[in-house]
Amino acid sequence: MEYTVKTEQDVNIYVNDINPYGKKTILFVHGWPLSHRAFEYQFNVLPKMGYRCIGIDTRGFGNSSKPFWGYDYNRLAEDVRCVVDALKLRNFVLGGHSMGGATVIRYMSLFKGYGVSKLALFAAAAPSLTMRPDFPYGLPKEDITKIIQSIYDNRPQMLLDTAPMFFYKPVTKALSDWFFQLGFEAASWATAECAKTFRDESLFNDLPQIQVPTLILHGIHDRVCLFPLAEAMNKAIRNSRLVPFEYSGHSLFFEEKDKFNMELVKFADQL
């Protein structure tokens, strides 16, 4: 089932609700600069196993509205809450990749984990994607600033240049083209504004507020959200478990999709 959820005036969030009568619900929030279609290798498998999989497109990306505003973590988390309310979701697994991981962390703190029974973080951009005086494990801020400038100067080239960073092994042209197509569906201003958000915002205060069992899946070769971020999240979130992916970069749900699906299902099924 495909539909949209209105979150504020003139802003509609696209929802793809796969197997709506499944035994358990997993809500997926994609990362920058992609769309819900990045999770196609989960949507191919998990519904056959009886799961209800809900993919949403963040505002500015995929099939959602593309307003010129509203790309901070609070607003993105509020959009997720609107979807949760519209679909009357309860006792569901909330999962997020990269910036989507940061968004779901903010959801957990902003709304006290409303409706969520378990949290799953896939290469999440938390507690800070960029280096800070007391957090030396992220990327240099100037690297993200260069990406932002390249969005304004030549977004197609930026997407082509960024694709290899998402993967551990060299990418084929077909895979690079797939990444490019997903990224080019987004609005250019949304791509830039979201990059400013994950450059400038942090979630250090959000992590201790998470009260549900949390699964952290992270590629040890990740060049976007470096592996020490996963270790920092694991340390800060009570009742969390970190599973390293030894043959993955930032796109572990593709590069080790069988292991990814197995770990996610095992986590969702745990009592």
Side-chain angles (χ1 to χ4, degrees):
M1 298 176 62
E2 298 178 76
Y3 37 82
T4 59
V5 171
K6 191 178 188 67
T7 63
E8 58 180 332
Q9 186 176 8
D10 299 327
V11 178
N12 293 298
I13 299 300
Y14 171 85
V15 179
N16 192 352
D17 191 349
I18 306 165
N19 191 25
Y21 302 106
K23 59 181 180 179
K24 290 187 178 179
T25 298
I26 306 175
L27 174 60
F28 292 82
V29 182
H30 67 84
W32 176 97
L34 308 174
S35 74
H36 81 283
R37 293 198 290 126
F39 294 113
E40 67 176 85
Y41 297 96
Q42 286 64 59
F43 299 157
N44 286 344
V45 175
L46 272 56
K48 294 178 183 177
M49 302 171 68
Y51 290 91
R52 179 187 186 186
C53 294
I54 302 172
I56 67 174
D57 285 343
T58 300
R59 66 167 61 204
F61 296 82
N63 295 321
S64 287
S65 298
K66 298 172 173 62
F68 207 68
W69 64 88
Y71 296 100
D72 59 283
Y73 286 140
N74 278 358
R75 181 64 254 183
L76 297 177
E78 288 165 0
D79 287 347
V80 174
R81 175 62 189 265
C82 289
V83 172
V84 170
D85 287 343
L87 274 60
K88 297 181 171 58
L89 300 181
R90 301 293 184 271
N91 194 33
F92 67 98
V93 178
L94 179 59
H97 171 242
S98 193
M99 186 177 185
T103 298
V104 301
I105 289 171
R106 178 56 53 85
Y107 176 94
M108 297 301 293
S109 65
L110 191 61
F111 300 111
K112 303 186 187 308
Y114 180 81
V116 178
S117 60
K118 296 177 181 178
L119 181 68
L121 303 172
F122 323 135
S128 174
L129 186 138
T130 55
M131 292 180 182
R132 297 173 185 274
D134 56 349
F135 189 75
Y137 307 112
L139 299 177
K141 280 194 172 185
E142 53 267 28
D143 288 2
I144 308 303
T145 300
K146 289 178 183 177
I147 290 174
I148 294 167
Q149 188 58 50
S150 69
I151 295 168
Y152 294 130
D153 292 341
N154 188 339
R155 186 164 68 107
Q157 188 62 52
M158 181 280 296
L159 291 169
L160 291 175
D161 293 342
T162 302
M165 290 184 62
F166 273 62
F167 302 94
Y168 169 41
K169 295 180 180 179
V171 297
T172 63
K173 183 179 185 301
L175 192 56
S176 180
D177 288 347
W178 176 69
F179 180 94
F180 179 90
Q181 289 165 5
L182 293 184
F184 208 68
E185 290 176 347
S188 58
W189 54 87
T191 308
E193 290 302 313
C194 281
K196 293 175 186 177
T197 293
F198 60 67
R199 179 192 63 186
D200 298 337
E201 292 197 38
S202 68
L203 299 113
F204 292 99
N205 294 329
D206 301 76
L207 298 178
Q209 300 185 51
I210 296 172
Q211 301 295 326
V212 300
T214 301
L215 177 67
I216 302 168
L217 306 179
H218 214 106
I220 65 172
H221 303 285
D222 198 325
R223 292 186 287 160
V224 179
C225 297
L226 306 182
F227 191 73
L229 273 64
E231 296 174 319
M233 286 185 282
N234 187 210
K235 183 177 180 180
I237 301 173
R238 291 184 293 273
N239 197 14
S240 64
R241 182 169 69 93
L242 170 59
V243 179
F245 279 60
E246 298 180 2
Y247 305 103
S248 292
H250 196 51
S251 299
L252 64 167
F253 51 85
F254 172 82
E255 294 179 281
E256 292 184 76
K257 50 185 173 287
D258 292 339
K259 177 180 177 179
F260 181 97
N261 292 342
M262 179 194 70
E263 291 289 351
L264 184 55
V265 165
K266 184 169 65 175
F267 175 66
D269 282 345
Q270 287 173 346
L271 297 177

